[in-house]
Amino acid sequence: MTEAIYLEVQNKCEKIKEKRRVSVSRMLCILGVSRSGYNSWLHCLPSNQQKRKQSVKKKIKEIYDKSHQNYGALKITKEIQKTGEKISERTIGKYM
């Protein structure tokens, strides 16, 4: 994510200054972000909800690829629920 922000700001700054790299301080200034806010975002740990979401997305991808990309949200939900996980079809559909 940090790299994507850096590249976006660098592209904007290239229009202003040709072939010159932009420092983190300059990026933060351009984006209007405080240094302390950037550092806290950089060092924050993922929440339990984010960890579960990534885990479920990984399961969805595995099941979807295993089915040769035929299963929809309903069948994938049933497969995941067989493992004992409680999750709705709507949530699976959103994650897909």
Side-chain angles (χ1 to χ4, degrees), residues 6-54:
Y6 183 82
L7 291 174
E8 180 180 335
V9 173
Q10 186 177 12
N11 289 338
K12 288 181 180 180
C13 289
E14 281 181 6
K15 294 176 185 175
I16 299 169
K17 299 176 183 176
E18 292 294 322
K19 307 286 182 181
R20 187 169 180 185
R21 297 201 71 171
V22 181
S23 67
V24 173
S25 298
R26 182 70 178 140
M27 278 194 322
L28 296 175
C29 181
I30 291 171
L31 293 173
V33 177
S34 67
R35 181 170 287 282
S36 62
Y38 170 73
N39 284 329
S40 70
W41 170 80
L42 193 61
H43 299 293
C44 73
L45 299 174
S47 67
N48 290 336
Q49 183 180 6
Q50 289 173 328
K51 290 177 189 175
R52 181 174 185 256
K53 187 174 185 177
Q54 291 303 318

Side-chain angles (χ1 to χ4, degrees), residues 60-77:
I60 290 170
K61 180 149 179 56
E62 289 172 0
I63 294 169
Y64 186 67
D65 289 341
K66 188 177 176 183
S67 73
H68 301 290
Q69 302 176 349
N70 287 324
Y71 282 8
L74 178 62
K75 288 186 178 181
I76 291 175
T77 303

